[in-house]
Amino acid sequence: MDPRKVSFLEFYLCWAELQGWGEPPFIHAQACHWLEHRGDLAVLRCFRGFGKSTLLAAYNAWRLWRDPTYRILHQGDQDKTAYKTSRDTRSVLMRHPWTRARFGEGIRGEVPFWWAPGAGDERNPSMQAAGITSNITSSRCDEAQNDDVEVPRNITQPELREKMRYRLGEQTHCMVPGARQLFVGTPHTHDSIYDEIERMGADCLTIPMFEQEHRIEQALRTRYVLPFVPDVVFAGIGLSTRMLVEGTEYGIEGRTIVFPHAPGVLIDCYAGCAWPERFTVSDLLKRRRKCKTVNEWDSQYQLHSRPMHEIRLDPQRITAYDVEPRFVRANKVLTMWLGSVQIVSCSMRWDPSSGKVGRDVSAVALAFQDGAGRHYLHRIVALQGDVAETTLDGKRILGGQVWQLCDLIERFHVPRVVVETNGIGGFAPKFLQMALKQRGLRCGVVEEDATAAKDKRILEALEPLIESGMLWAHVDVLDGPLWDQMRDWVPGARNQADDLLDASAGAVTDQPVRIGQSVRIVETVARDDWRPAAGVFDVTLER
């Protein structure tokens, strides 16, 4: 049999028959065809339980059968997970009916490095298996594979994600000209490496658990129009998950789902299960109950790029705007406007830091508020350098963070700045006052010692505004690092980036609540008071 004339799908079908797996589902046939004909840069996203690593081992064996000089660098999140696929690839070569005669006894080397019979490079093995953080600098390969390199333990913080990207960059230098690169896995974060590779023009195949999906965030009505007729309807997430029964807990009228009463919880409607023979409704219910958050379910089974934890501060719920304030003087009164909305108050919060690499960010947040109570995060800036740069005699400010802050104060006519005096902030207010005086700017400087827990301050200030839709932000703010801080932030977690969040929360709480001032009582209805009360009575006493 000529290996060059045998497709990978044929090779896999023979292997599946030997293993007693029965006829593979359509999704596996689809993946086999795609793996053979994909581009040089490719991403395969498939749900948990798909069997992607098993499929990849068979693919590697087929590649080496066709060309024993082919060199594969296979990387996982750590060494031991990469070794699994290496062992599985050897097993396929040694046991497959079409390869065992040639490869059964001739493979040399151990699991991390081994050479197939016919390999032409004694320096670089037919297959090398290593974790993504392992040293592969001297390696050379014709194909670099990344099997689930994105996992919860290496993506929880932007710094960890950046480290993983750096290691992937090292992999690029190991690929010979014309080599291929493959990414296989499920997303584990909003800033997924798979999305980034797709934006680079990669050939992508995405196979979610369900082909069609529709979510009702909180079902407060009894009727909802759906884009399709659902096969499965879930209510809730985690331990509270229920699989709703058609005819009892809901009904379908055309494309409208009808509940006997408003469920009041999250409702997920799905249709088109990718592998119904294996993933029955009872098994899906067990899996969904094991998911602690809806983000975990979305990322692992529907392949949406979501963080695994619950997002308490979702930046997607913040309304974006793209206008700068303008100042209008009329009748000798200066007013500030954002578009057609008049701004009635302004606050600025500065949480000083040294501004050096590896330290906390020296964060400044500028927030506005209109008469209706909406808050606008207009600027969030990380100041750079020393707190103040002075002349040798210390009598004049030449630059530094306080000078950058004065630029913001002057541009936006800020009347007052609150400076957190914890740590390095103890002497920052004096330098700021000195810089303001030197530049002739009238702005109050208020010193505040933050004593409440940072997590509590952030949640109490920002969560109600986000949930109620009362928080807006300039596009420059949402395009900056605040977005990632909000998506990654977990209350109670230690050593996480939250400096910009803390400054934003402080700027918001430095302004009074004005929501009630925009509500006008049109008409009141008099009601008889049924409560007993101690009233005032005129009493005449007889003598």
Side-chain angles (χ1 to χ4, degrees), residues 477-536:
V477 171
L478 295 178
D479 287 341
L482 180 71
W483 183 281
D484 282 342
Q485 282 199 10
M486 296 183 76
R487 298 299 296 265
D488 293 333
W489 188 71
V490 179
R494 304 180 64 181
N495 300 323
Q496 60 181 332
D498 56 8
D499 307 272
L500 303 182
L501 278 175
D502 191 26
S504 302
V508 165
T509 53
D510 287 340
Q511 301 183 58
V513 177
R514 286 187 169 84
I515 298 175
Q517 299 181 20
S518 64
V519 179
R520 181 168 61 93
I521 300 176
V522 178
E523 181 180 355
T524 60
V525 179
R527 299 178 182 273
D528 294 332
D529 195 342
W530 50 267
R531 297 170 299 171
V536 178

Side-chain angles (χ1 to χ4, degrees), residues 314-324 338 366-368 374-380 462 466 469-480 482-483 486 504 508:
D314 190 352
Q316 290 186 320
R317 303 189 65 173
I318 298 176
T319 305
Y321 67 92
D322 191 15
V323 294
E324 291 296 328
L338 273 180
L366 173 65
F368 303 136
R374 285 187 293 263
H375 290 263
Y376 302 85
L377 289 175
H378 193 71
R379 286 289 186 276
I380 298 178
L462 299 180
I466 293 174
M470 297 295 285
L471 185 62
W472 293 43
H474 193 275
V475 290
D476 288 346
V477 171
L478 295 178
D479 287 341
L482 180 71
W483 183 281
M486 296 183 76
S504 302
V508 165

Side-chain angles (χ1 to χ4, degrees), residues 242-255:
R242 292 186 299 117
M243 182 90 72
L244 300 188
V245 179
E246 184 177 1
T248 303
E249 296 175 289
Y250 75 93
I252 297 295
E253 298 178 2
R255 286 193 174 180

